[in-house]
Amino acid sequence: MKLTDTELELQDREWVESVVQEDEELLLVCKPLVRWKAEYVGRLIFAAVWLSFIGFASVTALPEMLADVENEPQMLFFPLFLLPFWLVGIGLAVSPWWEQSLERRTVYVLTNTRAVVLKPSTWRRKRTLKGYVLVSDLIKEVVPRADGSGDIVFGYEERRSKNGIYYVPKGFLAVPQMERVLEMLRSLLPPAPEQEEPGSESPDRPSYVELVVGLIFFIAGVAHVLYGAYRWYSGELCTGELFKYVMAAFAGGVGLSVVIKWWKKHRQSVQA
């Protein structure tokens, strides 16, 4: 196929040309579908709660602390103390659109010898490349969607967090016209040997303890935040109590992230 016949921008075409080797035949080039993900909702809710409390702290506390800055110049450090909290909240708020912009730059390439995922790095400092040799057990999982798109998973990347180990699928994700791409890819894979060695272990089933703990943190955090909002609305909330409700919002956000990660691991273990 010719790259000039595709809808790729010039920069992406040059990128693909620099990756495809002389002895390779280019068979397919496509880009993932950019869609709104469910995890973005929880992230934006947490960012909204976080920024509202930081904004409230800035509006109420800053004027009082800076009123007598001539006699107490150390109060100038308080705005610097709030700055990281603002950056965290703003980063969470814009992260869905930032991730989608990176997905729009991602390109999937299929040749007669390998499948390649081209994507920019998180901060766009350099372009990254991940190549997969066309072996018989390349396809680990197929996740179709109602609109005809889907995920063709080539492997899982193990990641660790304070909540445990979780697995992130890698490969042609959110690829349009998945069945067409899958059929073309399978036709290129060599036949499986008669006696295959055991493949990689499927992701472990997540513990329900993790789910319960996440729900407890989320429910308790939301309850405290709502109670704090009621006290603020009724005029009973003191500035000194603000930190307690900020921590409650943080705990609720942590609980929600634990629940979302548990659900992802549960879905992966069921599909495996």
Side-chain angles (χ1 to χ4, degrees):
M1 66 173 300
K2 297 181 179 180
L3 288 174
T4 54
D5 297 333
T6 66
E7 298 180 355
L8 294 181
E9 298 178 357
L10 177 60
Q11 185 178 12
D12 292 334
R13 292 203 301 266
E14 293 176 348
W15 190 6
V16 174
E17 289 175 351
S18 66
V19 169
V20 177
Q21 301 174 2
E22 294 182 358
D23 58 344
E24 286 184 312
E25 180 184 357
L26 183 62
L27 302 176
L28 175 71
V29 177
C30 61
K31 299 173 74 69
L33 291 178
V34 180
R35 58 165 55 88
W36 190 262
K37 302 177 182 177
E39 63 187 70
Y40 293 160
V41 178
R43 197 184 305 176
L44 290 176
I45 292 175
F46 178 73
V49 174
W50 180 275
L51 289 174
S52 64
F53 278 101
I54 298 301
F56 180 77
S58 302
V59 171
T60 56
L62 276 179
E64 297 180 5
M65 292 186 173
L66 298 180
D68 197 21
V69 69
E70 294 182 359
N71 298 327
E72 299 182 10
Q74 66 272 16
M75 290 300 179
L76 289 174
F77 288 98
F78 185 70
L80 296 178
F81 173 77
L82 287 178
L83 182 59
F85 294 94
W86 275 107
L87 293 177
V88 169
I90 294 173
L92 287 172
V94 303
S95 61
W97 290 274
W98 179 262
E99 292 180 6
Q100 287 184 340
S101 68
L102 296 180
E103 291 175 358
R104 292 188 181 94
R105 291 286 317 283
T106 300
V107 183
Y108 299 143
V109 179
L110 180 63
T111 72
N112 59 327
T113 59
R114 58 178 177 156
V116 182
V117 178
L118 306 176
K119 62 187 305 183
S121 59
T122 303
W123 302 108
R124 298 188 178 184
R125 294 177 180 175
K126 62 179 182 179
R127 299 174 296 186
T128 62
L129 178 152
K130 178 62 176 178
Y132 300 89
V133 179
L134 300 181
V135 294
S136 57
D137 61 344
L138 174 63
I139 301 175
K140 301 297 189 297
E141 182 183 4
V142 177
V143 184
R145 294 188 174 86
D147 59 358
S149 65
D151 301 338
I152 305 176
V153 181
F154 300 150
Y156 295 94
E157 179 180 324
E158 181 180 295
R159 295 184 181 177
R160 298 179 181 270
S161 68
K162 61 181 180 180
N163 300 316
I165 300 175
Y166 64 101
Y167 297 84
V168 178
K170 297 295 181 179
F172 285 2
L173 307 181
V175 62
Q177 301 181 12
M178 187 202 69
E179 290 296 336
R180 181 178 70 91
V181 178
L182 183 61
E183 182 180 355
M184 179 181 298
L185 182 59
R186 283 175 171 167
S187 66
L188 297 171
L189 300 182
E194 295 182 359
Q195 295 182 348
E196 289 189 349
E197 296 182 358
S200 59
E201 296 182 358
S202 60
D204 296 333
R205 291 185 178 274
S207 172
Y208 283 94
V209 175
E210 182 179 348
L211 173 63
V212 172
V213 172
L215 288 174
I216 291 175
F217 271 81
F218 174 69
I219 294 173
V222 171
H224 278 76
V225 169
L226 293 176
Y227 179 68
Y230 169 77
R231 294 194 61 195
W232 172 74
Y233 180 78
S234 59
E236 300 176 2
L237 183 65
C238 301
T239 304
E241 298 178 291
L242 182 62
F243 182 75
K244 176 175 66 175
Y245 294 106
V246 171
M247 293 306 297
F250 179 78
V254 170
L256 180 62
S257 66
V258 170
V259 173
I260 293 175
K261 290 178 181 178
W262 182 92
W263 172 250
K264 288 182 178 179
K265 291 190 290 185
H266 175 72
R267 186 178 61 179
Q268 290 178 3
S269 64
V270 171
Q271 292 172 346

